[in-house]
């Protein structure tokens, strides 16, 4: 499997089209859940190395990133509530808070990988391959570009809101899916070896 941007866009569109007046949960809960599903389809790949108990280790890891929706949804819902009391700047505020929500989701995520490689014991022992174990870590993502793109998008949607043929739901879904995809694929994965490969560390990305 891999990150499926097209499916994410479709899921966002479904959320936007299901929104009704007075329901304050559909938007924050829906988009947060859609991102969780999107991330669950991704593949984490790492390059791992370090000094472990048996010698020098080098290998590569494959695994997944697991994120949850609740904290992100809560931040975005609170922003939507606050916007109701604002007389100006609401769109920019929402963009910033959405960035915070998605950043919180990523920061709280857990990376798990299975690592396979070669253990090189002190000479004259023979290298052992395949040799591996489990690793655990995090992803670091920057929300700066995401927030900037959302601010520009909201301004565009406002300017074109009365233009014939303009589909705000589709425009929003497409742009948000693009930016969430970039948000995660530009992130940096960092892991630490566990058990017999403790002492090794890995770095990589999700795709």
């Amino acid at each position: 499997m891999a990150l499926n941007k097209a499916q994410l866009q479709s899921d966002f569109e479904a959320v936007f089209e299901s929104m009704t007046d007075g329901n304050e949960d559909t938007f924050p809960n829906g988009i947060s859940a859609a991102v969780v599903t999107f991330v669950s389809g991704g593949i984490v790949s790492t390059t791992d190395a370090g000094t472990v108990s048996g010698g020098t280790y080098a290998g590569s890891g494959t695994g997944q990133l697991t994120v949850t929706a609740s904290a992100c949804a809560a931040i975005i819902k609170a922003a939507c509530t606050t916007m109701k009391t604002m007389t100006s700047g609401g769109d920019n505020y929402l963009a910033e808070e959405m960035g915070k929500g998605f950043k919180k989701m990523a920061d709280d995520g857990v990376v798990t990988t299975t690592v396979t490689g070669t253990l090189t014991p002190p000479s004259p022992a023979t290298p052992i391959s395949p040799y591996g174990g489990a690793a655990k870590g995090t992803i670091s993502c920057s929300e700066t570009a995401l927030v900037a793109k959302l601010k520009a998008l909201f301004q565009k949607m406002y300017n074109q809101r009365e233009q014939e043929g303009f589909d705000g739901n589709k425009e929003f879904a497409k742009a948000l899916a693009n930016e969430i995809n970039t948000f995660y694929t530009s992130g940096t994965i960092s892991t630490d070896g566990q058990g017999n490969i403790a002492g090794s560390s890995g770095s990589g990305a999700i795709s």
Side-chain angles (χ1 to χ4, degrees):
M1 295 179 69
L3 294 173
N4 189 336
K5 185 173 65 173
Q7 184 60 54
L8 180 61
Q9 178 180 336
S10 178
D11 290 345
F12 282 154
E13 285 188 44
V15 171
F16 301 153
E17 290 169 2
S18 68
M19 291 170 60
T20 57
D21 290 340
N23 188 335
E24 299 180 354
D25 294 323
T26 301
F27 176 69
N29 290 352
I31 63 173
S32 299
V35 175
V36 170
T37 300
F38 170 73
V39 171
S40 70
I43 299 172
V44 169
S45 300
T46 61
T47 299
D48 300 71
T51 300
V52 301
S53 61
T56 301
Y57 183 71
S60 59
T62 302
Q64 64 181 12
L65 168 65
T66 301
V67 297
T68 56
S70 57
C72 178
I75 291 171
I76 297 173
K77 181 177 179 179
C80 292
T81 300
T82 299
M83 281 180 66
K84 293 180 179 180
T85 67
M86 299 176 67
T87 57
S88 64
D91 285 347
N92 283 349
Y93 173 74
L94 178 59
E96 291 165 0
E97 293 304 298
M98 287 177 66
K100 290 178 184 178
F102 292 128
K103 172 69 170 172
K104 175 66 173 171
M105 179 188 287
D107 287 347
D108 290 347
V110 177
V111 174
T112 53
T113 60
T114 299
V115 185
T116 303
T118 301
L119 175 68
T120 304
S123 182
T126 302
I128 303 170
S129 180
Y131 188 90
K136 185 176 180 180
T138 59
I139 188 170
S140 177
C141 301
S142 172
E143 76 278 24
T144 303
L146 170 63
V147 170
K149 290 294 181 66
L150 285 176
K151 287 181 178 180
L153 172 66
F154 291 157
Q155 184 62 55
K156 177 182 178 181
M157 291 174 65
Y158 178 80
N159 293 340
Q160 297 182 352
R161 67 192 184 282
E162 296 181 358
Q163 180 177 310
E164 184 177 352
F166 178 71
D167 188 333
N169 287 341
K170 186 176 292 292
E171 185 83 12
F172 191 9
K174 180 179 180 180
L176 185 57
N178 282 335
E179 295 312 313
I180 290 295
N181 182 71
T182 300
F183 175 76
Y184 276 100
T185 57
S186 298
T188 300
I189 298 282
S190 300
T191 60
D192 293 312
Q194 309 291 304
N196 60 314
I197 60 169
S200 66
S201 60
S203 62
I206 186 171
S207 61

